Amino acid sequence: MITYTADNISFAYPKGKLVLKDINMSVSKGTVFTILGTNGTGKSTLLNCIAGQLTPLSGNVSIGGKSVKDMTVTEFSRHVAYVGQMHYPVFAYTVREVVVMGRTPYLGMTGSPRKSDYEIADDMMDLLKISQLAEKSYLEISGGERQLVMLAQALAQTPDFLVLDEPTSHLDFGNQIRLLDIIQNVASEGYGVILTSHFPDHSLMFDHTVGILHNGSFISVGPAKEVITEQNMQDIYKIQVSVSYNDILMRKTCLPKGK
Amino acid sequence: MPRNSKKTRVIWICFFIYIIVFFISIGIGRYYVSIEDIFKILVSSVLPINQTWDPAMERVVLYIRPSRLFVGSLVGASLGLAGATFQGLFKNPLVSPDILGVSSGAGFGAAAAILLGAGAVGIQLSALLFGLLAVAAVYLIYKAFRSPNILMLALAGIIVNGFFSSALSLTKYMADPNDTLPAITFWLMGSLAAADYDDLMFMIIPILAGSFGIIFLRWKINVLSLGDSEAKALGVNVNRLRFLLVLFATVITAVSVCVSGTIGWIGLVVPHLARACTGDNHSRLLPFSCILGALLLIILDDISRSLTGAEIPLGILTGIVGTPVFALLLIRQKRIL
């Protein structure tokens, strides 16, 4: 089983103090790792370090035992797909053209996507139920749809691991839950998923691993059911929450009580 | 398969029109040649037929006009292609090939050579040298900024542009207002009047090399235009790709400008017109910008040769025609910038 591992990652922006301190984490294929934490606590920075966007000050990231430092950008992108929070498209590519860009790691320097690449892109749009958007301009769809398109692109990359920065942030109530479903399906098909979230309850739905990031370090890592406790949530978010078993949903839930 | 046969067909139609316009343009100019004569002379170079035409006409049809038309085509194609490439690179459809200082560098180089009394070849080489130097300076300043942000590259371009336009003003100020200053001014207006076979031979290799370089990378420009971090996540070596694109686009622009002088607006308007026909996908946009640039430039050059007794400098015409076309395009398009 291939694992995606971060050993003792530390990071600071130029002339800044440490944003991440000795982070250790490990994700196996087929599992979901949710990173929770308050705004500005380093979640996105951590994802950027893991996903090769930023180079850690110290520590090592490896995939299946091979350090990412020994991989080319292209080789890395065949293992890991990263979807950032928001980007601002300028050109009116069709959704299909954007999704097929996920095939870039397999095309070589001067290549263009082939028929088989378009087929993979079409499959991924089917999987995310966005095929009806295929010929629409990427500029004219909503922010939530764009998020799904970027996810389809990441899946078209056929990586081992998906790194998703707040994948539900621009989605409506229904699409949030549908996306969580998709992520769970994707994980059960063998992808490893690392994501950040602002919803502790979502990680209880996944029922996989959770890490709580606070001031640049994990203060608690483990199975969601054990990490999402009233005490932990109150400590980091400074609000009262209720973590209890819901008989109808047949799972633990985490709901805010208010201040 | 990519569902775009209609958009691809447009490229072939434009290419076909280009061939026809090229053929007709051989006859257009102060020395008019009818289509029938053009046809006969062209055929006579392969098959023996009775010569019913003036030998001077043969020289015009076989050497003088085609040289100029080929030079014009190369210049138009280069400016269109470089414009579309820089727009993709900067993720901004308002960028023109001048953004990194090629034109202002070349303008200064030409003016300085004219001031020093250099001949035609000297002026060309000096323009080329300073055009390339300007972009090299832009790239070095960009590297010194130590910021991966592409806007810093544009900023470096503004700095170098500012420097060379002042340096150009200095050469103009020092130039003799009776002969040198008009020569500089005419050069800056841009024209193909002096374009000949030697220019064609000088241009063809660097322009074909640079253009093919860009065309080979055309699909990667799509990926790059999503954003640096997106491109990197898709396995693109962003710095290397960007450097290659700047290099190729600079070479074709500099080589064009040093032969034709500064010809504005083509590099901005052609990619926009092309976008309206083929969409923003650079796989089609770039080849189409090439053909459309070549087509428009030879049409404008036909007009500059034939509208009045004396030639109108091409650079003036491209501005006068280009600006209203650009305004119309922006009014009619749905894109919100």
Side-chain angles (χ1 to χ4, degrees):
Chain A
M1 184 59 85
I2 301 180
T3 54
Y4 190 10
T5 313
D7 290 317
N8 290 312
I9 295 286
S10 295
F11 183 81
Y13 288 100
K15 292 173 189 160
K17 60 180 173 60
L18 278 184
V19 184
L20 299 173
K21 283 160 248 165
D22 296 326
I23 299 274
N24 288 290
M25 63 185 287
S26 178
V27 186
S28 302
K29 288 191 74 175
T31 66
V32 181
F33 190 111
T34 308
I35 300 167
L36 293 174
T38 53
N39 291 130
T41 200
K43 294 191 298 298
S44 294
T45 307
L46 175 55
L47 284 195
N48 279 317
C49 285
I50 294 170
Q53 294 286 333
L54 294 172
T55 309
L57 211 58
S58 61
N60 191 33
V61 177
S62 59
I63 299 169
K66 186 177 181 187
S67 170
V68 301
K69 287 173 196 158
D70 300 329
M71 294 184 190
T72 63
V73 189
T74 311
E75 190 183 352
F76 180 75
S77 68
R78 290 177 188 167
H79 291 293
V80 178
Y82 165 75
V83 181
Q85 274 188 28
M86 207 46 224
H87 74 129
Y88 300 93
V90 180
F91 295 115
Y93 305 125
T94 65
V95 165
R96 195 160 182 261
E97 284 166 348
V98 173
V99 174
V100 84
M101 288 184 205
R103 301 302 298 160
T104 307
Y106 305 94
L107 295 179
M109 190 70 176
T110 59
S112 293
R114 297 147 298 201
K115 190 167 183 265
S116 58
D117 296 310
Y118 280 96
E119 281 166 5
I120 291 171
D122 290 341
D123 288 347
M124 297 311 166
M125 287 190 284
D126 274 346
L127 185 67
L128 300 192
K129 302 190 170 63
I130 52 170
S131 301
Q132 75 284 358
L133 298 177
E135 296 305 316
K136 279 201 175 178
S137 160
Y138 187 56
L139 295 181
E140 286 164 12
I141 59 176
S142 71
E145 288 170 330
R146 254 178 226 165
Q147 227 157 2
L148 291 174
V149 173
M150 291 316 277
L151 184 61
Q153 188 193 69
L155 290 172
Q157 230 170 307
T158 56
D160 298 311
F161 297 95
L162 289 165
V163 178
L164 312 172
D165 201 353
E166 291 184 28
T168 56
S169 59
H170 292 86
L171 300 179
D172 69 37
F173 193 53
N175 276 335
Q176 282 188 15
I177 304 306
R178 275 185 277 274
L179 187 79
L180 297 183
D181 245 15
I182 288 164
I183 290 173
Q184 223 155 6
N185 285 340
V186 161
S188 62
E189 276 176 32
Y191 290 90
V193 183
I194 302 174
L195 62 102
T196 56
S197 174
H198 285 303
F199 300 98
D201 198 48
H202 290 175
S203 61
L204 286 168
M205 285 184 209
F206 287 139
D207 201 17
H208 282 269
T209 313
V210 172
I212 297 177
L213 196 64
H214 194 62
N215 292 331
S217 309
F218 278 130
I219 54 167
S220 181
V221 181
K225 274 180 278 198
E226 291 169 25
V227 172
I228 309 292
T229 62
E230 291 182 359
Q231 192 58 48
N232 272 342
M233 296 300 102
Q234 282 159 17
D235 284 352
I236 63 162
Y237 293 116
K238 315 290 182 211
I239 55 162
Q240 301 291 313
V241 301
S242 154
V243 177
S244 58
Y245 189 83
N246 184 311
D247 292 326
I248 300 168
L249 301 178
M250 295 198 293
R251 66 169 177 86
K252 239 179 164 185
T253 58
C254 172
L255 297 168
K257 281 183 191 166
K259 249 184 113 181
Chain B
M1 274 308 281
R3 298 163 192 153
N4 47 40
S5 54
K6 205 184 274 177
K7 289 170 177 173
T8 310
R9 205 178 307 145
V10 168
I11 301 177
W12 287 107
I13 293 171
C14 185
F15 185 68
F16 187 65
I17 297 172
Y18 166 77
I19 302 277
I20 294 172
V21 169
F22 187 99
F23 184 73
I24 296 169
S25 300
I26 293 175
I28 296 176
R30 234 182 320 166
Y31 190 104
Y32 176 78
V33 187
S34 71
I35 293 177
E36 195 193 333
D37 284 333
I38 296 170
F39 191 72
K40 276 190 196 157
I41 294 170
L42 289 179
V43 170
S44 79
S45 62
V46 193
L47 301 169
I49 39 177
N50 276 342
Q51 186 166 334
T52 54
W53 55 84
D54 190 346
M57 191 183 275
E58 189 167 311
R59 240 182 84 71
V60 167
V61 170
L62 290 182
Y63 299 101
I64 298 174
R65 293 265 166 79
S67 298
R68 180 167 177 169
L69 285 165
F70 276 121
V71 169
S73 301
L74 287 177
V75 170
S78 298
L79 293 176
L81 180 61
T85 304
F86 278 127
Q87 289 175 3
L89 202 59
F90 283 94
K91 291 174 277 179
N92 188 333
L94 293 180
V95 165
S96 73
D98 309 334
I99 183 154
L100 298 184
V102 186
S103 299
S104 58
F108 166 76
I114 294 169
L115 190 68
L116 296 173
V121 174
I123 295 168
Q124 225 168 63
L125 289 178
S126 175
L128 178 65
L129 180 70
F130 278 94
L132 295 174
L133 261 176
V135 179
V138 168
Y139 223 83
L140 287 177
I141 293 170
Y142 172 58
K143 287 285 160 203
F145 286 151
R146 292 173 188 281
S147 160
N149 191 337
I150 189 80
L151 278 180
M152 298 304 278
L153 184 58
L155 197 59
I158 291 172
I159 292 168
V160 171
N161 260 317
F163 177 81
F164 277 109
S165 54
S166 296
L168 173 63
S169 294
L170 182 67
T171 56
K172 282 178 168 173
Y173 179 71
M174 289 159 66
D176 181 339
N178 291 319
D179 47 26
T180 320
L181 186 57
I184 292 174
T185 310
F186 280 125
W187 191 92
L188 291 172
M189 284 174 190
S191 170
L192 293 176
D196 57 20
Y197 184 77
D198 290 341
D199 288 329
L200 181 61
M201 289 299 110
F202 165 76
M203 296 170 82
I204 194 155
I205 288 170
I207 287 188
L208 286 183
S211 300
F212 276 109
I214 293 172
I215 296 284
F216 277 135
L217 297 171
R218 67 194 186 282
W219 201 77
K220 284 286 183 301
I221 303 178
N222 291 336
V223 181
L224 191 61
S225 76
L226 287 183
D228 291 2
S229 80
E230 283 76 9
K232 193 175 176 193
L234 290 169
V236 173
N237 186 332
V238 172
N239 286 332
R240 187 178 63 184
L241 178 61
R242 193 182 277 165
F243 175 78
L244 286 176
L245 289 171
V246 168
L247 177 71
F248 293 147
T250 298
V251 166
I252 62 176
T253 314
V255 170
S256 297
V257 170
C258 82
V259 169
S260 66
T262 36
I263 290 175
W265 292 94
I266 290 289
L268 184 61
V269 177
V270 163
H272 270 268
L273 269 174
R275 282 174 206 286
C277 301
T278 62
D280 284 341
N281 186 341
H282 292 80
S283 292
R284 294 184 295 269
L285 176 67
L286 295 187
F288 191 61
S289 294
C290 269
I291 299 168
L292 192 63
L295 173 64
L296 289 186
L297 205 78
I298 62 174
I299 291 175
L300 287 172
D301 194 43
D302 286 345
I303 298 172
S304 95
R305 283 202 302 274
S306 56
L307 197 63
T308 58
E311 279 204 23
I312 305 169
L314 185 57
I316 296 177
L317 216 54
T318 56
I320 287 176
V321 176
T323 44
V325 168
F326 192 52
L328 276 176
L329 266 178
L330 291 182
I331 291 165
R332 288 195 51 184
Q333 76 177 355
K334 283 183 282 176
R335 180 202 305 277
I336 298 156
L337 290 177

